Amino acid sequence: QVQLAESGGGLVQAGGSLRLSCAASGDIFGINVMGWYRQAPGKQRELVAVITSGGTTNYADSVKGRFTVSRDNAKNTVYLQMNSLKPEDTASYYCNMKRVTGLTTMSNYWGQGTQVTVSS
């Protein structure tokens, strides 16, 4: 089993920045995709950004140029640097880690979520 511990959420004014962190512990062998999703009230959970073990990244169009996902393999941690925050970025942000082989997700783990609120 894998445990994910998130930190870094909070309240910020529009235009401000926050940095989310997610540290993994437990049976982390083979975890090769790390990332962040978010869910706003009344909406479905959506991809924000992911990063593979090789460093390939993918971002939602709505955050491109503002958010940066990174990982520290030695610390088993994934980060999300969020700049130029907008009120529409307000959501619960969830850390996600997977073992992916080819096109198959072998295992999938979620954090508890951390709230990000951006005031206008």
Side-chain angles (χ1 to χ4, degrees):
Q1 199 55 268
V2 173
Q3 294 79 43
L4 303 180
E6 301 154 334
S7 61
L11 173 64
V12 65
Q13 288 188 332
S17 298
L18 284 173
R19 189 193 196 205
L20 306 183
S21 300
C22 176
S25 60
D27 182 17
I28 60 172
F29 179 79
I31 295 290
N32 54 1
V33 179
M34 298 181 175
W36 295 90
Y37 291 70
R38 68 186 180 187
Q39 188 168 17
K43 295 188 177 181
Q44 289 188 329
R45 190 171 296 188
E46 62 177 1
L47 171 73
V48 176
V50 293
I51 183 167
T52 69
S53 55
T56 301
T57 58
N58 186 37
Y59 294 91
D61 288 342
S62 60
V63 307
K64 284 180 180 177
R66 300 188 297 122
F67 291 10
T68 302
V69 62
S70 61
R71 60 190 288 169
D72 184 333
N73 291 327
K75 296 181 178 180
N76 304 314
T77 299
V78 61
Y79 304 96
L80 185 68
Q81 178 66 44
M82 304 184 292
N83 298 329
S84 302
L85 282 160
K86 304 176 181 179
E88 50 263 45
D89 294 318
T90 295
S92 292
Y93 283 69
Y94 295 90
C95 176
N96 176 262
M97 296 193 184
K98 299 181 175 70
R99 294 184 183 89
V100 178
T101 302
L103 297 178
T104 302
T105 297
M106 306 303 292
S107 48
N108 194 20
Y109 304 99
W110 292 96
Q112 293 296 310
T114 185
Q115 179 66 32
V116 171
T117 302
V118 184
S119 63
S120 57

